[in-house]
Amino acid sequence: MEHMKNNYYRLSVLFFLLALPFTLQAQIITLTGDDFKSLQGKQSGLYSFFAVKEGKLQPVPHQWVQWSEEGFPFFKEDGSTTLAGDPDRIDASDRLLLRFEDGGPAMSGTTSEKIAAELAVQQGGETRLFYLVKNAYLQSTERYVQFDPDTLTIKSTDFALTMADDNLFKWNDFYFRGFEGENGQRQTILDTLKLRLSAGVFGENNRITLNNDNLDPKVKEVISGPLTAMIYASTSVKVARVPVLRIDNYFLLMPQQVEIHSRFTLPGIADTILKRPALDISLDGNGLYNSKLVTSWTGNKVGVTDGKLSKAEKEMLEMPLKGDNWIWFGTGRGFDMLAQLAFVKGFTTPVRLLYQDDASQVNEPERFAGQLPNVGFSLTDLPFGQEFYFIARMYYSKDSHGLGPSQYAEAILSPSHATLTVR
């Protein structure tokens, strides 16, 4: 009987633990100035963020990000945008970044700090508390991501990414903490980022393709902070001396995620040169055999990297993207990625999954043989004379916290909710 009681107790504890919401480790949450309505107009620099750690109120990192009136991250060097609000004060358009895991329980007892407000943040079924302290003596000195503009190297607490040839579009070695190759050695997960702009020149049958080698973004401004390093870069392309493409990119680099805002325009004059332009955006993996691919719009079909296209994978390629989308990719070796392409402006063109699973296929630029796999999005029949705006979001984790792709995507992509209580 005592043995049965112990087993029942263990099972009860197990089910209780399984029912608890999981913590989004290292997940950066984004709040807006609307979450701080009672503090709008106040100087943002007066407030620091604290949380209860080991029973004490301790400072945690935070970062305010300015936004433009046009709806993009704001950079002074971007002459096409205008700052929304006052850079020194909390405005409705501001974004606030926090690490969800830095939040803590409710404070008990007293403190010598001057608490101005309590911020309750809900994410993934869990609530954590932050405290805004005015004129705090203690400040957080932790920094979780760095970008070196000289070497174009990104280093965070969880991943490292290098670029080649001083080109932000030439992604090379990508390492994630804890991931190992099949032989147990350190291995780059990524072959490279692949960009393709193809179009007919003076006719549909005379098509050319521009890739990363033809796209050389110029870094105009870098903003460094404890939770995100921000980069503004612009790219322009000419064919037969006629400008055919302009791209403005805003990179937000965070500990376990990368967010790339892209604005691109095919000028109306390019219509005299180019016919039926198409754009491909993808990441090519480095020998990621036995990895699995699931998307939000292809039902219960699963792609498995084995060097050849299966029937299910071919069917996935025929299904056009619809609604809010995501792609989940799991290696089973200590690295998963959730990617989303959010189409914000200008997209009425068809979008499909780009998936290549072939050990011998060549698709330049290339460092390692084969597409194992090459995964991304393909856009066709882009119109001229209008601006397109999309946001590519990539979230990295060790194992998606043990959740299935749909559960994990819902937890990660659902917006955070915050309640501010002024004291």
Side-chain angles (χ1 to χ4, degrees), residues 4-5 8 13 16-17 49 53 65 70 73 102 127 134 165 188 191 199 226 272 291 293 304 350 361 373 382:
M4 292 179 63
K5 286 183 178 179
Y8 176 79
V13 171
F16 173 75
L17 291 174
F49 285 77
K53 302 286 185 182
V65 175
E70 293 75 14
D102 284 337
T127 299
K134 192 172 183 180
D165 302 330
T188 174
D191 184 339
T272 62
S291 297
L293 176 77
V304 178
Q361 181 179 356
L382 300 173

Side-chain angles (χ1 to χ4, degrees), residues 129-150:
L129 300 178
F130 297 84
Y131 293 91
L132 281 72
V133 174
K134 192 172 183 180
N135 298 320
Y137 174 74
L138 292 176
Q139 299 289 334
S140 172
T141 59
E142 296 171 295
R143 184 175 292 269
Y144 291 89
V145 62
Q146 294 182 340
F147 171 71
D148 187 333
D150 295 324

Side-chain angles (χ1 to χ4, degrees), residues 224-246:
S224 297
L227 297 180
T228 181
M230 302 172 56
I231 308 167
Y232 165 53
S234 65
T235 309
S236 59
V237 178
K238 292 183 179 181
V239 173
R241 298 185 180 180
V242 175
V244 296
L245 177 67
R246 175 179 172 83

Side-chain angles (χ1 to χ4, degrees), residues 62-75:
H62 75 282
Q63 187 171 345
W64 290 99
V65 175
Q66 302 299 315
W67 228 246
S68 71
E69 291 184 356
E70 293 75 14
F72 317 120
F74 178 75
F75 291 83

Side-chain angles (χ1 to χ4, degrees), residues 290-298 301-305 316 325-333 335-341 353 355 373 375 377 393 395-410 412-413:
N290 300 315
S291 297
K292 295 181 179 180
L293 176 77
V294 176
T295 84
S296 58
W297 69 93
T298 54
K301 293 179 173 58
V302 179
V304 178
T305 304
M316 293 169 74
N325 66 84
W326 50 259
I327 291 176
W328 176 88
F329 182 78
T331 66
R333 286 190 267 150
F335 175 76
D336 290 358
M337 181 179 74
L338 179 72
Q340 181 189 49
L341 201 60
L353 173 69
Y355 182 76
V375 181
F377 298 88
R393 300 184 175 101
Y395 303 87
Y396 313 132
S397 68
K398 178 182 178 182
D399 58 1
S400 301
H401 303 281
L403 297 177
S406 295
Q407 292 176 297
Y408 181 62
E410 182 179 359
I412 290 291
L413 299 177

Side-chain angles (χ1 to χ4, degrees), residues 70-109:
E70 293 75 14
F72 317 120
F74 178 75
F75 291 83
K76 293 179 181 178
E77 296 301 319
D78 182 8
S80 66
T81 61
T82 303
L83 175 64
D86 186 325
D88 298 320
R89 298 184 182 276
I90 300 174
D91 301 302
S93 58
D94 292 344
R95 268 59 169 175
L96 174 73
L97 306 184
L98 292 166
R99 286 202 325 161
F100 185 71
E101 68 174 300
D102 284 337
M107 186 185 67
S108 59

